[in-house]
Amino acid sequence: MSPVYEWALDEWEYFVPHNMVNECPWTSTTLMLLGALVVARLAFKTLYVLAQTFVLPGTSLKKFGATKGSWAVVTGASDGIGREFSLQLAAAGFNILLVARNRDSLATLAEEIGTKYGPSVNAKVQLIDFSMNHEAAYQSLAAVCAPLDIGVLVNNVGRSHEMPTDYVDTTQSEIDDILAINIHATLRMTSMVLPGMINRKRGLILNMGSFAGSVPSPMLATYSGSKAFLSTYSSALAAEAKPHNVLVEHINAFYVVSKMSKLRKPSPLVPLPNNYVRSVLSKVGLACGAAFSDRPGTCTPFWSHALADYAMTLVGWKVLFIGYTHGVHRTIRKRALRKKERDAKKQ
Ligand SMILES: NC(=O)c1ccc[n+]([C@@H]2O[C@H](COP(=O)([O-])OP(=O)(O)OC[C@H]3O[C@@H](n4cnc5c(N)ncnc54)[C@H](OP(=O)(O)O)[C@@H]3O)[C@@H](O)[C@H]2O)c1
């Protein structure tokens, strides 16, 4: 018997009924092998997630037409994460179609892109208020997109609740806006752009999701549900689009500094939009922290978000996370109400 095997049997005796090792050598060996298999599986999964998150490069953006005259369409492009997608995709060599409501911010951004990356990169602006669900506005956006060779679509536009609120107290207009902006806009933009990508046999569609979509989030029920929709929708669409060489990805984000998150200071868990978007664009095609999460087509690319997502997959006890999130949202609501009161007194 090898010394290692002898040592393992000695150690194992602590965990199995007395004398079992000697009396049932096959049982104890089988249990030992099973234990080793479980440990090896966990080690393999962990190394796989770490390699994707910290070492392996994602698919090159050139595969989707960067520097070849292709366009990237970014919704919610005037601020936050969408603004960064626009700048970084322009830097990578895409012409950019900037889509949002605010004419001045979009014009300023288009000018910035022209100054930094022109004349090889063009930027166009298209105004639309997705909350209105206007057919005419969608038709004019479709007319602008039709002649373009669109290589990348970033369905980034999104809105959340003004503050965490029980569903029964949520206004109908807030519910309608969230559904129109988070779900309907993504579906309409995808319907507009995907046929061209399929014809050209190349394309990348990024749908901005949220941890609120994978952990049901009390007091943000409509937002949480809308992001869960995007997660499932993206998984299904990814399978349909793959044979046409079109990659569909659902991007799972925890907090990022922005107007929507109301977080102004970056921290290891809350990146600035530029660092966040850099991680997304450098990990295209890799699941990173979402690997083994039963959410095919989802990527959690930013390193701390990836580790959190993977840890949550390992723990797998959703009720625990739902309870924790509920507690956090109760606290945020109390603070938000106090701030509202203070602001009202100042006026
Ligand atoms: N920040 C986070 O912590 C976080 C976390 C998880 C997921 N996400 C997701 O990331 C995405 C971007 O979030 P963000 O934090 O960058 O948000 P943000 O800073 O609030 O920016 C939102 C963008 O969407 C545009 N927009 C808002 N309502 C619109 C409407 N009705 N029609 C057209 N455009 C509209 C805004 O521009 P205009 O006002 O000019 O229209 C702006 O460009 C969202 O899908 C969000 O759910 C964010």
Side-chain angles (χ1 to χ4, degrees), residues 76 78-79 81 101-102 129-130 156 209 223 227 254 256 258:
S78 59
D79 213 338
I81 297 170
R101 291 171 303 184
N102 189 316
D129 182 345
F130 287 114
N156 163 77
Y223 178 74
K227 292 296 182 181
F254 195 47
V256 177
S258 81

Side-chain angles (χ1 to χ4, degrees), residues 39-339:
V39 172
R41 191 163 170 263
L42 179 66
F44 168 76
K45 281 180 166 184
T46 307
L47 283 175
Y48 186 84
V49 167
L50 293 178
Q52 289 210 342
T53 307
F54 292 103
V55 184
L56 297 175
T59 307
S60 164
L61 292 174
K62 292 220 164 98
K63 197 184 159 216
F64 307 106
T67 70
K68 291 174 197 146
S70 287
W71 286 76
V73 178
V74 182
T75 66
S78 59
D79 213 338
I81 297 170
R83 188 175 189 282
E84 266 308 318
F85 267 119
S86 309
L87 285 167
Q88 293 190 27
L89 286 166
F94 286 99
N95 298 309
I96 311 286
L97 178 59
L98 305 163
V99 183
R101 291 171 303 184
N102 189 316
R103 185 187 298 273
D104 291 346
S105 336
L106 289 179
T108 310
L109 180 57
E111 210 177 293
E112 186 179 341
I113 289 173
T115 313
K116 279 187 179 160
Y117 309 110
S120 54
V121 165
N122 296 304
K124 281 190 190 193
V125 163
Q126 181 67 25
L127 300 181
I128 183 168
D129 182 345
F130 287 114
S131 70
M132 306 300 283
N133 249 335
H134 269 167
E135 188 53 34
Y138 274 114
Q139 291 300 337
S140 54
L141 184 49
V144 172
C145 289
L148 305 179
D149 163 356
I150 297 172
V152 178
L153 167 64
V154 186
N155 281 314
N156 163 77
V157 72
R159 78 153 283 188
S160 186
H161 300 263
E162 189 204 342
M163 69 175 80
T165 306
D166 281 342
Y167 182 76
V168 285
D169 299 324
T170 308
T171 62
Q172 192 57 46
S173 69
E174 186 166 272
I175 293 169
D176 291 344
D177 281 3
I178 291 173
L179 297 183
I181 295 169
N182 297 8
I183 297 181
H184 199 68
T186 296
L187 300 184
R188 290 299 299 259
M189 291 305 300
T190 305
S191 303
M192 239 178 252
V193 167
L194 183 58
M197 288 181 166
I198 289 176
N199 282 340
R200 288 185 291 275
K201 296 199 179 314
R202 116 169 108 65
L204 171 66
I205 298 179
L206 301 175
N207 294 331
M208 268 312 295
S210 161
F211 267 58
S214 46
V215 175
S217 304
M219 305 180 84
L220 297 181
T222 308
Y223 178 74
S224 180
S226 73
K227 292 296 182 181
F229 171 92
L230 289 184
S231 170
T232 304
Y233 165 74
S234 304
S235 296
L237 190 67
E240 289 177 22
K242 195 176 172 196
H244 302 285
N245 208 25
V246 175
L247 180 60
V248 177
E249 266 191 4
H250 166 249
I251 306 298
N252 189 25
F254 195 47
Y255 287 114
V256 177
V257 170
S258 81
K259 251 189 218 156
M260 180 194 277
S261 67
K262 299 186 179 86
L263 295 170
R264 288 190 209 128
K265 276 194 192 156
S267 72
L269 210 58
V270 185
L272 289 166
N274 61 346
N275 293 331
Y276 182 74
V277 169
R278 194 163 301 117
S279 77
V280 176
L281 295 180
S282 64
K283 295 291 174 184
V284 167
L286 301 175
C288 300
F292 311 110
S293 69
D294 275 342
R295 282 172 274 138
T298 290
C299 172
T300 310
F302 187 74
W303 70 270
S304 58
H305 299 181
L307 296 182
D309 197 5
Y310 179 56
M312 284 160 73
T313 301
L314 288 183
V315 174
W317 195 8
K318 257 192 188 165
V319 176
L320 189 79
F321 304 133
I322 295 173
Y324 173 77
T325 309
H326 201 170
V328 171
H329 288 166
R330 281 196 194 100
T331 312
I332 294 176
R333 180 172 174 80
K334 272 185 203 148
R335 266 197 237 133
L337 286 175
R338 276 203 298 268
K339 184 173 181 301

